[in-house]
Amino acid sequence: MTDLAAVKAALKTQAVETPSWAYGNSGTRFKVFAQAGVPRDPWEKLQDAAKVHEFTGVAPTVALHIPWDRVDGGDGYAELAEYAEERGLGLGAINSNTFQDDEYRLGSICHPDAAVRRRARDHLLECVDIMDATGSRDLKLWFADGTNYPGQDHIRARQDRLAEGLAEVYERLGERQRLLLEYKLFEPAFYTTDVPDWGTAYAHCLKLGAKARVVVDTGHHAPGTNIEFIVATLLREGRLGGFDFNSRFYADDDLMVGAADPFQLFRIMSEVVRGGGFSPEIAFMLDQCHNIEAKIPAIIRSVMNVQEATAKALLVDREALAAAQASGDVLGANGVLMDAYDTDVRPLLREVREEMDLDPDPLAAYARSGWGQRIVAERVGGRQAGWGA
């Protein structure tokens, strides 16, 4: 039997980091769609993030993206961190951007030109400086580097350049800071991608040292990939740094987590719980772009989806599962897992929220708050935040 009191206690400790860019404008590859009331700067993004945390109780940190969230002044980032703290938030992972400048057409830290590589490394080192100012623990790196055509560049040499650049950044990290390396199967490079899979990321992290971990973005895999196997393996090796949660139908769609395959999200969280990964050591982050849906409610719904998958994973009867596995009871073991997945955990989560002095229905509470109408009325003029802003 599962101890419901222990399940509820664990759910109250959950923390899901929201991404600053999800509050801004985004779109398809053909069009960025603007919405009324979208933040115009990092300060307004934090205002919206504070509302997500206010109504969910489990979204206490916000990831920043540089330069999208760049602030001016010598103390600008420290002031931003203070502004976040005043609203019950902390600043989470600092995400670098080495994919939008014209110089990065042939790559960033893997580029054949040493001057371009130096530019990319300097940006990554700047991100560590920002971490120092914000108190952030994690530097999250994703590289669009790769090639489109056979013979375009030396594949092994690009890996050497990648290792060299990562090593320089790793040496700059503070004692409590970490480097989280993300991978992506393809896009924008289509012949080779320099960090295409978890094995490549893992190999580089192993060489760097204990402060280097792998990030699993749930949208960055080939169809049919068993993501929970990757999670279980990285947990076993002590190299899982965190997640970028989203959902996909074809490629890196960055849709609301659990939208396409909620059973996959449950399976992933089940391995997290089983492998001891339900802890502050693993960063549970959203990485989403809300193109046609209202942004703040979509982020609230995403947080709730993670909560529901986690609750079901915590409800798995581990003793019964282990017994069935040990005896070779294939259907029995699968049945234990499915019993947990088929459980309606919404009443349990309503109880958890009430015990945390929260409204049991975060979406309804947000709708009643009037925040959506308020920001539409107040955020008039200026330039809305979004891709490239």
Side-chain angles (χ1 to χ4, degrees), residues 166-232:
L166 289 175
E168 181 179 347
V169 177
Y170 185 86
E171 288 302 314
R172 169 63 183 81
L173 294 175
E175 183 178 351
R176 61 172 294 274
Q177 294 173 338
R178 309 189 306 178
L179 183 156
L180 304 185
L181 183 58
E182 186 177 350
Y183 57 90
K184 188 177 183 182
L185 178 65
F186 75 101
E187 190 194 44
F190 290 96
Y191 174 61
T192 64
T193 303
D194 291 316
V195 190
D197 52 41
W198 71 276
T200 305
Y202 175 57
H204 281 283
C205 288
L206 273 183
K207 189 171 184 179
L208 289 169
K211 292 187 290 186
R213 307 286 180 90
V214 179
V215 169
V216 175
D217 185 305
T218 53
H220 285 187
H221 303 86
T225 299
N226 190 313
I227 300 175
E228 55 267 33
F229 171 82
I230 298 171
V231 170

Side-chain angles (χ1 to χ4, degrees), residues 1 81 87 104 165 170 173 177 218 223 228 230 233 254 258 279 292 294-295 306 308 317 325 333 338 349 353 369:
M1 293 292 290
R87 282 149 187 80
Y104 298 143
Y170 185 86
L173 294 175
Q177 294 173 338
T218 53
E228 55 267 33
I230 298 171
T233 303
D254 281 345
S279 76
I292 59 175
K295 300 178 188 303
V306 175
E308 290 177 14
D317 189 333
Q325 291 171 340
M338 294 308 299
L349 284 166
R353 295 184 187 111
S369 74

Side-chain angles (χ1 to χ4, degrees), residues 23 48 51-52 294-301 363 366 371 375:
Y23 298 97
D48 289 352
K51 290 298 174 182
V52 174
K295 300 178 188 303
I296 299 175
I299 297 171
I300 292 174
R301 178 68 261 181
L363 281 171
Y366 172 74
W371 181 256
I375 58 179

